[in-house]
Amino acid sequence: KELHGHVMKCVKDQNGNHVIQKCIERVPPSLVQFVVDTFKGQNMKLAMHPYGCRVIQRLLEHCSSAQRNNMLKEILEHTQGLAKNQYGNYVIQHVLIHGSARHRAAVIKSFHGVLLPLSKHKFASNVIEKCVTHATRQERQLLIEEILGTDKVDPNPPLMGMVRDQFANYVIQRLIDVMDPEQRQYLIQRIHRHLPNLRKIPYGKHIVARIEKIAGYNL
């Protein structure tokens, strides 16, 4: 009760935010409804705050489904902006790791068409890695199609731009690690004509070596 009316002040305080986090972890969801109510309309702003993002993650872990759904309704309207934010990206990663299949699917869907620029972004690339890791097989196939591009004879598909990039190349490495054998074979077929160029790119060498190690043969 002492926290009522002081939630925002506590959340933005270096020590106070820990008090709020402990409350959320230790009391029933019904007793933290006042925190959820205070956050209403402010979830996006708080997700981009150094302490607020931590409190939101605790709420998403410990709240009831109804409370979580209300919060995510706000958060999922701003996935791209939050993914590119130094604190907001952790909230979106959290949804991908701990969220329901429905919420995870909504996040992944929101990145279709912008996978390449987000993969090249310092913070958003971590989110795209989590998309690749936690996607269903069907969702991952759509991500693969976007990375490989629709034009099979394109000399410079999105994949090549990602391999050259200091952040996006990790998305490709993660993809290689988590795709199933059929998807990996499809990737090998599509990139075969680009192998000479891939081997000339520093990150490309690592990626070719990774594929060869998992596939068990030289390309």
PDB file of all heavy atoms in Angstrom, residues 3 6-22 39 46 49-55:
ATOM      1  N   LEU A   3       3.373   1.789  -1.640  1.00  0.00           N
ATOM      2  CA  LEU A   3       3.858   2.068  -2.984  1.00  0.00           C
ATOM      3  C   LEU A   3       2.813   2.748  -3.872  1.00  0.00           C
ATOM      4  O   LEU A   3       3.159   3.344  -4.888  1.00  0.00           O
ATOM      5  CB  LEU A   3       4.307   0.764  -3.665  1.00  0.00           C
ATOM      6  CG  LEU A   3       5.591   0.126  -3.119  1.00  0.00           C
ATOM      7  CD1 LEU A   3       5.785  -1.249  -3.717  1.00  0.00           C
ATOM      8  CD2 LEU A   3       6.803   1.003  -3.406  1.00  0.00           C
ATOM      9  N   HIS A   6       3.257   6.007  -5.884  1.00  0.00           N
ATOM     10  CA  HIS A   6       4.700   6.275  -5.999  1.00  0.00           C
ATOM     11  C   HIS A   6       5.388   5.347  -7.001  1.00  0.00           C
ATOM     12  O   HIS A   6       6.615   5.286  -7.050  1.00  0.00           O
ATOM     13  CB  HIS A   6       5.380   6.122  -4.630  1.00  0.00           C
ATOM     14  CG  HIS A   6       4.816   7.020  -3.576  1.00  0.00           C
ATOM     15  ND1 HIS A   6       5.037   8.378  -3.560  1.00  0.00           N
ATOM     16  CD2 HIS A   6       4.009   6.737  -2.525  1.00  0.00           C
ATOM     17  CE1 HIS A   6       4.400   8.901  -2.513  1.00  0.00           C
ATOM     18  NE2 HIS A   6       3.768   7.928  -1.884  1.00  0.00           N
ATOM     19  N   VAL A   7       4.586   4.622  -7.764  1.00  0.00           N
ATOM     20  CA  VAL A   7       5.149   3.605  -8.660  1.00  0.00           C
ATOM     21  C   VAL A   7       6.145   4.197  -9.654  1.00  0.00           C
ATOM     22  O   VAL A   7       7.281   3.736  -9.762  1.00  0.00           O
ATOM     23  CB  VAL A   7       4.024   2.849  -9.419  1.00  0.00           C
ATOM     24  CG1 VAL A   7       4.627   1.901 -10.464  1.00  0.00           C
ATOM     25  CG2 VAL A   7       3.188   2.054  -8.438  1.00  0.00           C
ATOM     26  N   MET A   8       5.723   5.234 -10.376  1.00  0.00           N
ATOM     27  CA  MET A   8       6.600   5.810 -11.402  1.00  0.00           C
ATOM     28  C   MET A   8       7.898   6.349 -10.816  1.00  0.00           C
ATOM     29  O   MET A   8       8.973   6.172 -11.400  1.00  0.00           O
ATOM     30  CB  MET A   8       5.872   6.928 -12.170  1.00  0.00           C
ATOM     31  CG  MET A   8       4.893   6.398 -13.203  1.00  0.00           C
ATOM     32  SD  MET A   8       5.688   5.330 -14.420  1.00  0.00           S
ATOM     33  CE  MET A   8       4.365   5.153 -15.584  1.00  0.00           C
ATOM     34  N   LYS A   9       7.796   6.972  -9.672  1.00  0.00           N
ATOM     35  CA  LYS A   9       8.987   7.523  -9.006  1.00  0.00           C
ATOM     36  C   LYS A   9       9.950   6.386  -8.651  1.00  0.00           C
ATOM     37  O   LYS A   9      11.164   6.491  -8.845  1.00  0.00           O
ATOM     38  CB  LYS A   9       8.558   8.286  -7.747  1.00  0.00           C
ATOM     39  CG  LYS A   9       9.681   9.088  -7.118  1.00  0.00           C
ATOM     40  CD  LYS A   9       9.205   9.810  -5.876  1.00  0.00           C
ATOM     41  CE  LYS A   9      10.359  10.515  -5.173  1.00  0.00           C
ATOM     42  NZ  LYS A   9       9.937  11.117  -3.891  1.00  0.00           N
ATOM     43  N   CYS A  10       9.388   5.284  -8.147  1.00  0.00           N
ATOM     44  CA  CYS A  10      10.216   4.138  -7.758  1.00  0.00           C
ATOM     45  C   CYS A  10      10.844   3.448  -8.974  1.00  0.00           C
ATOM     46  O   CYS A  10      12.027   3.098  -8.958  1.00  0.00           O
ATOM     47  CB  CYS A  10       9.385   3.113  -6.980  1.00  0.00           C
ATOM     48  SG  CYS A  10       8.993   3.625  -5.311  1.00  0.00           S
ATOM     49  N   VAL A  11      10.041   3.277 -10.012  1.00  0.00           N
ATOM     50  CA  VAL A  11      10.517   2.575 -11.209  1.00  0.00           C
ATOM     51  C   VAL A  11      11.721   3.286 -11.813  1.00  0.00           C
ATOM     52  O   VAL A  11      12.663   2.648 -12.287  1.00  0.00           O
ATOM     53  CB  VAL A  11       9.379   2.449 -12.257  1.00  0.00           C
ATOM     54  CG1 VAL A  11       9.929   2.021 -13.619  1.00  0.00           C
ATOM     55  CG2 VAL A  11       8.347   1.445 -11.777  1.00  0.00           C
ATOM     56  N   LYS A  12      11.698   4.612 -11.781  1.00  0.00           N
ATOM     57  CA  LYS A  12      12.775   5.383 -12.402  1.00  0.00           C
ATOM     58  C   LYS A  12      13.938   5.666 -11.456  1.00  0.00           C
ATOM     59  O   LYS A  12      14.882   6.366 -11.810  1.00  0.00           O
ATOM     60  CB  LYS A  12      12.203   6.690 -12.964  1.00  0.00           C
ATOM     61  CG  LYS A  12      11.257   6.432 -14.143  1.00  0.00           C
ATOM     62  CD  LYS A  12      10.651   7.697 -14.688  1.00  0.00           C
ATOM     63  CE  LYS A  12       9.723   7.380 -15.871  1.00  0.00           C
ATOM     64  NZ  LYS A  12       9.119   8.572 -16.451  1.00  0.00           N
ATOM     65  N   ASP A  13      13.866   5.086 -10.283  1.00  0.00           N
ATOM     66  CA  ASP A  13      14.926   5.284  -9.280  1.00  0.00           C
ATOM     67  C   ASP A  13      15.859   4.071  -9.272  1.00  0.00           C
ATOM     68  O   ASP A  13      15.406   2.923  -9.368  1.00  0.00           O
ATOM     69  CB  ASP A  13      14.297   5.472  -7.897  1.00  0.00           C
ATOM     70  CG  ASP A  13      15.348   5.688  -6.826  1.00  0.00           C
ATOM     71  OD1 ASP A  13      15.853   6.819  -6.706  1.00  0.00           O
ATOM     72  OD2 ASP A  13      15.680   4.714  -6.111  1.00  0.00           O
ATOM     73  N   GLN A  14      17.148   4.353  -9.135  1.00  0.00           N
ATOM     74  CA  GLN A  14      18.166   3.299  -9.176  1.00  0.00           C
ATOM     75  C   GLN A  14      17.912   2.192  -8.150  1.00  0.00           C
ATOM     76  O   GLN A  14      18.150   1.020  -8.413  1.00  0.00           O
ATOM     77  CB  GLN A  14      19.542   3.926  -8.949  1.00  0.00           C
ATOM     78  CG  GLN A  14      20.684   2.988  -9.303  1.00  0.00           C
ATOM     79  CD  GLN A  14      22.041   3.668  -9.245  1.00  0.00           C
ATOM     80  OE1 GLN A  14      22.126   4.863  -8.989  1.00  0.00           O
ATOM     81  NE2 GLN A  14      23.105   2.929  -9.482  1.00  0.00           N
ATOM     82  N   ASN A  15      17.454   2.571  -6.968  1.00  0.00           N
ATOM     83  CA  ASN A  15      17.176   1.573  -5.923  1.00  0.00           C
ATOM     84  C   ASN A  15      15.702   1.184  -5.887  1.00  0.00           C
ATOM     85  O   ASN A  15      15.356   0.027  -5.670  1.00  0.00           O
ATOM     86  CB  ASN A  15      17.596   2.117  -4.554  1.00  0.00           C
ATOM     87  CG  ASN A  15      19.079   2.430  -4.506  1.00  0.00           C
ATOM     88  OD1 ASN A  15      19.907   1.618  -4.896  1.00  0.00           O
ATOM     89  ND2 ASN A  15      19.428   3.628  -4.061  1.00  0.00           N
ATOM     90  N   GLY A  16      14.839   2.171  -6.117  1.00  0.00           N
ATOM     91  CA  GLY A  16      13.396   1.929  -6.051  1.00  0.00           C
ATOM     92  C   GLY A  16      12.911   0.877  -7.022  1.00  0.00           C
ATOM     93  O   GLY A  16      11.994   0.114  -6.714  1.00  0.00           O
ATOM     94  N   ASN A  17      13.529   0.804  -8.206  1.00  0.00           N
ATOM     95  CA  ASN A  17      13.070  -0.179  -9.198  1.00  0.00           C
ATOM     96  C   ASN A  17      13.260  -1.608  -8.701  1.00  0.00           C
ATOM     97  O   ASN A  17      12.479  -2.491  -9.026  1.00  0.00           O
ATOM     98  CB  ASN A  17      13.757   0.052 -10.557  1.00  0.00           C
ATOM     99  CG  ASN A  17      15.134  -0.559 -10.662  1.00  0.00           C
ATOM    100  OD1 ASN A  17      15.321  -1.710 -11.046  1.00  0.00           O
ATOM    101  ND2 ASN A  17      16.146   0.228 -10.318  1.00  0.00           N
ATOM    102  N   HIS A  18      14.266  -1.828  -7.843  1.00  0.00           N
ATOM    103  CA  HIS A  18      14.485  -3.169  -7.281  1.00  0.00           C
ATOM    104  C   HIS A  18      13.371  -3.544  -6.313  1.00  0.00           C
ATOM    105  O   HIS A  18      12.968  -4.701  -6.233  1.00  0.00           O
ATOM    106  CB  HIS A  18      15.849  -3.235  -6.576  1.00  0.00           C
ATOM    107  CG  HIS A  18      17.011  -3.153  -7.521  1.00  0.00           C
ATOM    108  ND1 HIS A  18      17.325  -4.152  -8.415  1.00  0.00           N
ATOM    109  CD2 HIS A  18      17.921  -2.162  -7.734  1.00  0.00           C
ATOM    110  CE1 HIS A  18      18.381  -3.796  -9.121  1.00  0.00           C
ATOM    111  NE2 HIS A  18      18.769  -2.594  -8.724  1.00  0.00           N
ATOM    112  N   VAL A  19      12.872  -2.550  -5.592  1.00  0.00           N
ATOM    113  CA  VAL A  19      11.763  -2.777  -4.653  1.00  0.00           C
ATOM    114  C   VAL A  19      10.524  -3.223  -5.432  1.00  0.00           C
ATOM    115  O   VAL A  19       9.859  -4.200  -5.075  1.00  0.00           O
ATOM    116  CB  VAL A  19      11.446  -1.490  -3.843  1.00  0.00           C
ATOM    117  CG1 VAL A  19      10.220  -1.685  -2.967  1.00  0.00           C
ATOM    118  CG2 VAL A  19      12.656  -1.072  -3.009  1.00  0.00           C
ATOM    119  N   ILE A  20      10.235  -2.509  -6.525  1.00  0.00           N
ATOM    120  CA  ILE A  20       9.079  -2.862  -7.367  1.00  0.00           C
ATOM    121  C   ILE A  20       9.261  -4.267  -7.953  1.00  0.00           C
ATOM    122  O   ILE A  20       8.331  -5.076  -7.963  1.00  0.00           O
ATOM    123  CB  ILE A  20       8.886  -1.832  -8.516  1.00  0.00           C
ATOM    124  CG1 ILE A  20       8.661  -0.414  -7.969  1.00  0.00           C
ATOM    125  CG2 ILE A  20       7.744  -2.252  -9.431  1.00  0.00           C
ATOM    126  CD1 ILE A  20       7.300  -0.127  -7.409  1.00  0.00           C
ATOM    127  N   GLN A  21      10.477  -4.568  -8.433  1.00  0.00           N
ATOM    128  CA  GLN A  21      10.731  -5.893  -9.017  1.00  0.00           C
ATOM    129  C   GLN A  21      10.492  -7.002  -7.989  1.00  0.00           C
ATOM    130  O   GLN A  21       9.891  -8.028  -8.297  1.00  0.00           O
ATOM    131  CB  GLN A  21      12.175  -5.981  -9.541  1.00  0.00           C
ATOM    132  CG  GLN A  21      12.410  -5.203 -10.829  1.00  0.00           C
ATOM    133  CD  GLN A  21      13.803  -5.442 -11.398  1.00  0.00           C
ATOM    134  OE1 GLN A  21      14.123  -6.554 -11.805  1.00  0.00           O
ATOM    135  NE2 GLN A  21      14.631  -4.418 -11.429  1.00  0.00           N
ATOM    136  N   LYS A  22      10.964  -6.783  -6.757  1.00  0.00           N
ATOM    137  CA  LYS A  22      10.791  -7.797  -5.692  1.00  0.00           C
ATOM    138  C   LYS A  22       9.320  -7.995  -5.362  1.00  0.00           C
ATOM    139  O   LYS A  22       8.865  -9.117  -5.138  1.00  0.00           O
ATOM    140  CB  LYS A  22      11.562  -7.399  -4.425  1.00  0.00           C
ATOM    141  CG  LYS A  22      13.061  -7.589  -4.535  1.00  0.00           C
ATOM    142  CD  LYS A  22      13.427  -9.062  -4.614  1.00  0.00           C
ATOM    143  CE  LYS A  22      14.902  -9.248  -4.944  1.00  0.00           C
ATOM    144  NZ  LYS A  22      15.155 -10.474  -5.702  1.00  0.00           N
ATOM    145  N   PHE A  39       1.107   1.675 -15.349  1.00  0.00           N
ATOM    146  CA  PHE A  39       1.876   1.555 -16.594  1.00  0.00           C
ATOM    147  C   PHE A  39       1.019   1.758 -17.843  1.00  0.00           C
ATOM    148  O   PHE A  39       1.556   1.950 -18.927  1.00  0.00           O
ATOM    149  CB  PHE A  39       2.543   0.172 -16.678  1.00  0.00           C
ATOM    150  CG  PHE A  39       3.828   0.054 -15.893  1.00  0.00           C
ATOM    151  CD1 PHE A  39       4.109   0.909 -14.827  1.00  0.00           C
ATOM    152  CD2 PHE A  39       4.763  -0.922 -16.208  1.00  0.00           C
ATOM    153  CE1 PHE A  39       5.287   0.793 -14.099  1.00  0.00           C
ATOM    154  CE2 PHE A  39       5.950  -1.050 -15.489  1.00  0.00           C
ATOM    155  CZ  PHE A  39       6.200  -0.190 -14.431  1.00  0.00           C
ATOM    156  N   LEU A  46       8.313   3.176 -20.891  1.00  0.00           N
ATOM    157  CA  LEU A  46       9.015   2.484 -19.810  1.00  0.00           C
ATOM    158  C   LEU A  46       9.914   1.362 -20.349  1.00  0.00           C
ATOM    159  O   LEU A  46      10.968   1.080 -19.774  1.00  0.00           O
ATOM    160  CB  LEU A  46       8.010   1.919 -18.804  1.00  0.00           C
ATOM    161  CG  LEU A  46       7.339   2.998 -17.946  1.00  0.00           C
ATOM    162  CD1 LEU A  46       6.110   2.456 -17.245  1.00  0.00           C
ATOM    163  CD2 LEU A  46       8.317   3.568 -16.916  1.00  0.00           C
ATOM    164  N   HIS A  49      13.289   2.642 -20.955  1.00  0.00           N
ATOM    165  CA  HIS A  49      13.964   3.246 -19.794  1.00  0.00           C
ATOM    166  C   HIS A  49      14.910   2.210 -19.191  1.00  0.00           C
ATOM    167  O   HIS A  49      14.568   1.025 -19.105  1.00  0.00           O
ATOM    168  CB  HIS A  49      12.907   3.683 -18.762  1.00  0.00           C
ATOM    169  CG  HIS A  49      13.470   4.452 -17.618  1.00  0.00           C
ATOM    170  ND1 HIS A  49      14.029   3.832 -16.516  1.00  0.00           N
ATOM    171  CD2 HIS A  49      13.582   5.790 -17.400  1.00  0.00           C
ATOM    172  CE1 HIS A  49      14.448   4.761 -15.664  1.00  0.00           C
ATOM    173  NE2 HIS A  49      14.195   5.953 -16.179  1.00  0.00           N
ATOM    174  N   PRO A  50      16.106   2.611 -18.741  1.00  0.00           N
ATOM    175  CA  PRO A  50      17.067   1.629 -18.219  1.00  0.00           C
ATOM    176  C   PRO A  50      16.553   0.774 -17.067  1.00  0.00           C
ATOM    177  O   PRO A  50      16.933  -0.390 -16.942  1.00  0.00           O
ATOM    178  CB  PRO A  50      18.269   2.486 -17.773  1.00  0.00           C
ATOM    179  CG  PRO A  50      17.782   3.901 -17.745  1.00  0.00           C
ATOM    180  CD  PRO A  50      16.675   3.971 -18.740  1.00  0.00           C
ATOM    181  N   TYR A  51      15.693   1.346 -16.213  1.00  0.00           N
ATOM    182  CA  TYR A  51      15.125   0.562 -15.102  1.00  0.00           C
ATOM    183  C   TYR A  51      13.732   0.061 -15.443  1.00  0.00           C
ATOM    184  O   TYR A  51      13.351  -1.048 -15.071  1.00  0.00           O
ATOM    185  CB  TYR A  51      15.077   1.394 -13.813  1.00  0.00           C
ATOM    186  CG  TYR A  51      16.388   2.044 -13.443  1.00  0.00           C
ATOM    187  CD1 TYR A  51      16.440   3.344 -12.949  1.00  0.00           C
ATOM    188  CD2 TYR A  51      17.592   1.354 -13.599  1.00  0.00           C
ATOM    189  CE1 TYR A  51      17.650   3.956 -12.628  1.00  0.00           C
ATOM    190  CE2 TYR A  51      18.809   1.946 -13.273  1.00  0.00           C
ATOM    191  CZ  TYR A  51      18.827   3.254 -12.786  1.00  0.00           C
ATOM    192  OH  TYR A  51      20.017   3.851 -12.471  1.00  0.00           O
ATOM    193  N   GLY A  52      12.978   0.874 -16.170  1.00  0.00           N
ATOM    194  CA  GLY A  52      11.619   0.491 -16.559  1.00  0.00           C
ATOM    195  C   GLY A  52      11.575  -0.798 -17.351  1.00  0.00           C
ATOM    196  O   GLY A  52      10.687  -1.633 -17.166  1.00  0.00           O
ATOM    197  N   CYS A  53      12.579  -1.000 -18.213  1.00  0.00           N
ATOM    198  CA  CYS A  53      12.597  -2.215 -19.039  1.00  0.00           C
ATOM    199  C   CYS A  53      12.726  -3.463 -18.165  1.00  0.00           C
ATOM    200  O   CYS A  53      12.158  -4.512 -18.479  1.00  0.00           O
ATOM    201  CB  CYS A  53      13.712  -2.163 -20.084  1.00  0.00           C
ATOM    202  SG  CYS A  53      15.388  -2.376 -19.466  1.00  0.00           S
ATOM    203  N   ARG A  54      13.413  -3.339 -17.039  1.00  0.00           N
ATOM    204  CA  ARG A  54      13.570  -4.487 -16.126  1.00  0.00           C
ATOM    205  C   ARG A  54      12.259  -4.802 -15.421  1.00  0.00           C
ATOM    206  O   ARG A  54      11.888  -5.968 -15.250  1.00  0.00           O
ATOM    207  CB  ARG A  54      14.643  -4.186 -15.075  1.00  0.00           C
ATOM    208  CG  ARG A  54      16.033  -3.981 -15.649  1.00  0.00           C
ATOM    209  CD  ARG A  54      16.993  -3.614 -14.537  1.00  0.00           C
ATOM    210  NE  ARG A  54      18.246  -3.055 -15.036  1.00  0.00           N
ATOM    211  CZ  ARG A  54      19.148  -2.476 -14.266  1.00  0.00           C
ATOM    212  NH1 ARG A  54      18.933  -2.368 -12.955  1.00  0.00           N
ATOM    213  NH2 ARG A  54      20.267  -2.002 -14.777  1.00  0.00           N
ATOM    214  N   VAL A  55      11.567  -3.748 -14.996  1.00  0.00           N
ATOM    215  CA  VAL A  55      10.289  -3.927 -14.293  1.00  0.00           C
ATOM    216  C   VAL A  55       9.261  -4.557 -15.241  1.00  0.00           C
ATOM    217  O   VAL A  55       8.517  -5.458 -14.847  1.00  0.00           O
ATOM    218  CB  VAL A  55       9.772  -2.583 -13.723  1.00  0.00           C
ATOM    219  CG1 VAL A  55       8.410  -2.764 -13.066  1.00  0.00           C
ATOM    220  CG2 VAL A  55      10.774  -2.010 -12.711  1.00  0.00           C
TER     221      VAL A  55
END
